[in-house]
């Protein structure tokens, strides 16, 4: 592949974002500084029972990132690399918190590279203050009545308070 230094990097940040956390937001802010355009793409996964429907997740991420003018929020179905190809994206952005993330991320990045070599996966290390935060744990805490407002952006915390009014 010929090197084209003038080609701007358009990156996709894919994920479930159920819900968006402060860790995701940190990665989005840093990604928006690195790339010409950053597309946050929510997987429409009919198999999983989500906390929030995709449309609500899109809205929360849009509200939270409205100050970043090169960030777009979208959703996708099917293979990520097919979506990347449709969107003309040349990079996939993923965050790594701890060594435990590495194995799955390595597998996904290598499979995606085999399937579409022109899309590079670029990893950013999660900010250390966010390294213990995951959507999975947020979901668990909030459904058990805990308060997660310090782990998620304000727009998300407000929706969670509405959904789970009995939060401690
Ligand atoms: O937030 P998550 O759950 O860690 O995100 C996982 C995601 C959405 C990035 C991954 O499951 C994905 O890309 N799914 C789309 C289907 C696909 O392309 N699978 C092959 C990847 S090797």
């Amino acid at each position: 592949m010929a090197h084209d230094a003038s080609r701007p990097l358009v990156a996709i940040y894919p994920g479930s974002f159920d819900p968006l956390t402060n860790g995701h937001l940190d990665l989005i802010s840093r990604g928006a500084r690195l790339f010409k355009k950053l597309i946050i793409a929510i997987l429409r996964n009919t198999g999983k029972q989500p906390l929030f429907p995709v449309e609500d997740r899109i809205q929360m991420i849009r509200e939270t990132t409205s100050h970043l003018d090169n960030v777009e929020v979208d959703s996708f179905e099917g293979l990520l690399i097919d979506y990347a190809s449709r969107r003309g994206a040349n990079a996939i952005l993923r965050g790594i918190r701890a060594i435990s993330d590495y194995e799955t991320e390595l597998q996904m990045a290598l499979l995606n590279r085999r399937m579409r070599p022109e899309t590079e996966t670029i990893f950013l290390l999660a900010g250390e203050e966010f390294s213990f935060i995951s959507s999975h744990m947020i979901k668990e805490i909030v459904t058990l009545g805990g308060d997660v407002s310090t782990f998620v952006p304000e727009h998300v915390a407000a929706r969670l308070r509405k959904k789970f009014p009995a939060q401690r």
Side-chain angles (χ1 to χ4, degrees):
M1 227 180 306
H3 175 63
D4 178 1
S6 66
R7 191 168 172 216
L9 273 180
V10 174
I12 292 177
Y13 180 26
S16 309
F17 304 103
D18 188 35
L20 179 79
T21 68
N22 285 337
H24 292 133
L25 184 58
D26 170 58
L27 217 76
I28 293 167
S29 312
R30 289 160 57 207
R33 286 200 294 270
L34 285 177
F35 305 111
K36 167 99 175 147
K37 185 180 174 119
L38 181 64
I39 303 167
I40 304 169
I42 304 178
L43 175 67
R44 288 188 178 272
N45 184 349
T46 44
K48 263 200 231 168
Q49 183 56 46
L51 188 62
F52 288 107
V54 170
E55 303 313 325
D56 289 15
R57 280 179 261 160
I58 291 180
Q59 207 180 338
M60 278 183 270
I61 303 176
R62 283 203 181 127
E63 286 164 356
T64 306
T65 61
S66 59
H67 60 292
L68 301 167
D69 54 14
N70 61 338
V71 168
E72 180 190 323
V73 189
D74 192 12
S75 63
F76 74 104
E77 266 172 313
L79 282 180
L80 176 60
I81 41 126
D82 289 340
Y83 175 73
S85 152
R86 282 200 301 280
R87 298 301 316 263
N90 40 15
I92 293 168
L93 173 67
R94 292 287 288 173
I96 292 203
R97 288 164 298 194
I99 194 79
S100 49
D101 283 337
Y102 180 76
E103 222 164 310
T104 345
E105 294 301 329
L106 174 74
Q107 195 180 11
M108 281 202 292
L110 292 179
L111 285 166
N112 284 334
R113 189 166 71 190
R114 271 293 169 94
M115 293 189 283
R116 190 171 194 259
E118 54 273 53
T119 308
E120 285 289 353
T121 301
I122 298 177
F123 294 106
L124 288 183
L125 290 182
E128 55 272 36
E129 64 272 49
F130 308 114
S131 62
F132 59 94
I133 302 176
S134 71
S135 296
H136 177 77
M137 286 301 176
I138 301 286
K139 244 183 274 190
E140 180 162 314
I141 295 170
V142 85
T143 51
L144 295 172
D147 174 17
V148 294
S149 53
T150 58
F151 309 132
V152 296
E154 184 43 43
H155 290 289
V156 178
R159 298 261 186 142
L160 286 170
R161 276 194 295 272
K162 232 191 253 172
K163 207 175 169 76
F164 302 95
Q167 275 181 48
R168 259 181 288 116

